[in-house]
Amino acid sequence: MAAPVALVTGAGKRVGQAIALRLAATGRQVAVHYHQSRAGADDTVARIVAAGGSAQAFGADIADPDAPARLIAQVVEAFGGLDVLVNSAASWLRAPMGEVRAEQFDASVATNLRAPFLLAQAAAPHLAARRGAIVNIADHLAYDWESPYLAHGVVKGAVEHLTRGLARVLAPHVRVNAVAPGVVLLPEGVSATVEARLVGETPLARIGSPDDVADAVAWLAAAPYVTGEVLHVDGGRHLGR
């Protein structure tokens, strides 16, 4: 019997890559999606294959409204089915209130919200056939309301609504959950002062790692009696909201 198949979007770098590697380590074949990170996707595939797993890279701009259905069709054709969809690909919108342009907001919605919806819609029949699962990646900024990330947080908050709605609509054949990471992988150039502040605001007193998120995704992908949940992987930051 063939190993189960997982599609991880945005798996060419950062957290998406860690998720793909973690799911491969659990015995799944992995469809490694990328947009601009082709070299990173090839590295992800190579690392999975070197460890004895099976993986292929698939390029697509999922902000294109026609791309999600094409991507799902390509993955199903290549692997013969689909068991897990992880909506990890994301774009960051950082602009203070008063400076957000309409085209920026629309681009954020296209990648962070519309694409996961359309991917889930296209994947649902294939996932249902195998009693599969969807794991969305939400964000602690849906709750923190920091000014430069307000628009981003609004969109990611909608991802949580999408998660719960899909969990109801696709039950009982497909489970749908989300992981809401906290501060993970600080951007380049973050000052020591800012890092210290973020650590101080986190009850577990550290910055998270991609593996923290990947472990949570792997658990939700396999948890047979869990659906409609948003799992906070933020070191306890949500406790202060």
Side-chain angles (χ1 to χ4, degrees):
M1 183 176 178
V5 178
L7 165 59
V8 182
T9 65
K13 60 183 180 179
R14 296 173 65 88
V15 172
Q17 183 179 59
I19 292 169
L21 295 173
R22 181 70 177 82
L23 292 178
T26 65
R28 294 176 174 86
Q29 304 178 81
V30 183
V32 176
H33 161 264
Y34 69 94
H35 178 208
Q36 297 176 326
S37 302
R38 175 60 189 266
D42 288 343
D43 176 61
T44 304
V45 170
R47 291 169 66 179
I48 291 172
V49 172
S54 173
Q56 293 184 42
F58 297 83
D61 177 6
I62 57 173
D64 176 346
D66 296 322
R70 285 199 304 264
L71 176 60
I72 296 298
Q74 290 167 356
V75 170
V76 170
E77 181 179 6
F79 289 98
L82 184 63
D83 298 86
V84 178
L85 167 64
V86 181
N87 284 309
S88 177
S91 65
W92 279 83
L93 172 52
R94 186 183 190 280
M97 187 65 181
E99 298 180 17
V100 178
R101 301 191 307 274
E103 59 269 24
Q104 289 179 302
F105 194 90
D106 290 346
S108 179
V109 170
T111 299
N112 297 321
L113 181 60
R114 186 180 68 193
F117 180 93
L118 294 177
L119 284 162
Q121 181 170 258
H126 306 287
L127 296 170
R130 298 191 176 194
R131 293 276 175 165
I134 297 171
V135 183
N136 295 320
I137 302 300
D139 199 300
H140 75 103
L141 289 169
Y143 302 92
D144 276 358
W145 302 294
E146 295 184 20
S147 174
Y149 300 105
L150 177 59
H152 177 80
V154 167
V155 176
K156 282 296 192 175
V159 171
E160 295 195 11
H161 183 86
L162 173 64
T163 297
R164 296 186 177 99
L166 288 173
R168 290 289 299 181
V169 171
L170 299 182
H173 303 298
V174 181
R175 295 179 300 101
V176 187
N177 296 286
V179 173
V183 182
V184 175
L185 276 181
L186 290 174
E188 293 182 9
V190 171
S191 69
T193 300
V194 171
E195 181 174 356
R197 174 179 65 81
L198 293 171
V199 170
E201 293 171 352
T202 304
L204 291 186
R206 71 173 176 87
I207 301 299
S209 74
D211 286 339
D212 291 323
V213 180
D215 288 346
V217 170
W219 183 78
L220 287 173
Y225 201 54
V226 180
T227 197
E229 287 297 317
V230 177
L231 178 59
H232 295 280
V233 181
D234 63 0
R237 286 178 66 88
H238 67 281
L239 298 174
R241 293 172 190 150

